[in-house]
Amino acid sequence: MTDNARQTRTLAKAIEAFAGQVYFAPECHEKYAALGFGPSPATRDGVAQPDGVAYMCSRSGQMGQVSGEVVAAAFGVFNPAAVVPAVTHGWTIADPAALCQARTEGAIAQLHRVLGATPDGLDRALDLLRRATGNLAPAGRPMYAAVLAQGLPGDPLGDAWRLADRLREYRGDAHIAAWTSASLDGAEVGLLTELYWGLEPRTYIRSRAWSTDDLDAASDRLATRGLVAEDALTPRGHEIREAIETSTDKACSPIADALGDDADDLITIVRSWSNAIRAAHGYPGSWPVADGK
């Protein structure tokens, strides 16, 4: 792995909980419930899980009131059979503007509660996050473009979160391009990713709404291609999955190029914030870096 690739992958892991905490913040769940969505349906390991409909519409609402089919395409790894009806129903409850406002306010509220309004390194992180995102082109990056269109909220820590969310979605878009180019579908890449991460098979992917029949069929396809055998990656399967990550790293090289020798500073700062958020049960402590999901 090149130094450039190592930096982009390490940065993605460092910012994951800081950027992704929006999906687990109790403050977000409460605001969505006030709009008419379901409350958090469960707590797992101390982390409040999101209502599925609120999750789908609050994240996709940054693109506007798009159809469920568009959302399924942009998210990539979720079962369209679950996404389409969830989004269709969600738009009968609230419009994108209300959801985006609730999403932003809830995310910032949790960050202030856990980190304080001005955590150590905030000014430096803001400078580096602005640099990292300054020249990222939105072409072919629908979710990155959606977050880009939201602008910055105007709260310093909220601005840092929004910039980190842009980096997260940029990598997610690149990741989808990589695994679709490898002729994989959402169920297949989810199964490969669990094994690549060393997770128990069919655990993480359950959050992507695939049925047992869907996963059985995807497993058969992976076995036929020689990528999986006896619930383990074959050498070829590991090669394919690592190539997907390498391709993703390469697509994110403009981030590392922009940061240069200062990448380690940003990694150190945001990793400390992410660790604090995990410790406060604001993000699942057992999850590796997300795949853009």
Side-chain angles (χ1 to χ4, degrees):
M1 186 188 299
T2 66
D3 288 343
N4 188 294
R6 185 176 293 105
Q7 281 187 334
T8 60
R9 200 177 299 190
T10 303
L11 178 60
K13 292 178 180 179
I15 70 169
E16 174 57 27
F18 176 59
Q21 57 84 28
V22 63
Y23 302 114
F24 305 95
E27 292 87 344
C28 287
H29 301 330
E30 291 167 5
K31 289 182 179 295
Y32 300 149
L35 292 174
F37 293 89
S40 171
T43 298
R44 185 176 303 154
D45 297 328
V47 180
Q49 302 300 297
D51 170 70
V53 176
Y55 166 82
M56 296 289 178
C57 291
S58 62
R59 185 180 175 204
S60 68
Q62 298 173 104
M63 295 189 288
Q65 191 164 323
V66 297
S67 71
E69 289 83 359
V70 172
V71 176
F75 286 8
V77 293
F78 288 83
N79 184 356
V83 174
V84 173
V87 171
T88 300
H89 175 59
W91 295 141
T92 70
I93 300 173
D95 61 35
L99 275 162
C100 287
Q101 180 178 352
R103 182 181 193 271
T104 298
E105 291 177 354
I108 293 173
Q110 169 159 266
L111 291 173
H112 281 207
R113 171 172 56 82
V114 174
L115 301 177
T118 56
D120 289 346
L122 178 57
D123 289 344
R124 176 64 168 160
L126 268 171
D127 175 63
L128 294 175
L129 285 164
R130 288 191 179 101
R131 193 198 307 177
T133 57
N135 293 314
L136 297 180
R141 307 280 188 263
M143 289 307 304
Y144 166 71
V147 182
L148 184 66
Q150 292 300 304
L152 299 181
D155 171 88
L157 186 55
D159 289 353
W161 164 71
R162 177 63 51 75
L163 291 166
D165 201 25
R166 289 177 184 174
L167 290 178
R168 184 181 189 270
E169 294 289 17
Y170 188 90
R171 185 176 181 91
D173 288 334
H175 193 72
I176 292 171
W179 59 255
T180 54
S181 296
S183 300
L184 294 166
D185 62 30
E188 293 165 355
V189 76
L191 290 169
L192 286 182
T193 295
E194 287 180 328
L195 299 175
Y196 180 73
W197 282 347
L199 299 179
E200 187 71 22
R202 303 195 183 192
T203 52
Y204 179 85
I205 197 172
R206 290 294 186 185
S207 66
R208 274 50 184 154
W210 298 102
S211 70
T212 298
D213 287 346
D214 293 327
L215 297 178
D216 286 345
S219 293
D220 288 344
R221 293 192 297 272
L222 292 172
T224 298
R225 290 180 61 179
L227 305 184
V228 172
E230 298 180 355
D231 287 333
L233 292 177
T234 64
R236 178 60 176 161
H238 187 274
E239 178 185 353
I240 291 291
R241 185 57 186 79
E242 179 60 30
I244 290 168
E245 211 65 32
T246 299
S247 176
T248 305
D249 294 333
K250 185 176 181 180
C252 293
S253 60
I255 297 168
D257 291 342
L259 290 170
D261 293 339
D262 293 325
D264 287 343
D265 280 1
L266 180 57
I267 289 166
T268 298
I269 295 167
V270 296
R271 180 187 284 140
S272 71
W273 296 348
S274 284
N275 288 342
I277 290 164
R278 289 176 187 269
H281 304 294
Y283 185 90
S286 59
W287 283 9
V289 59
D291 54 7
K293 13 328 123 239

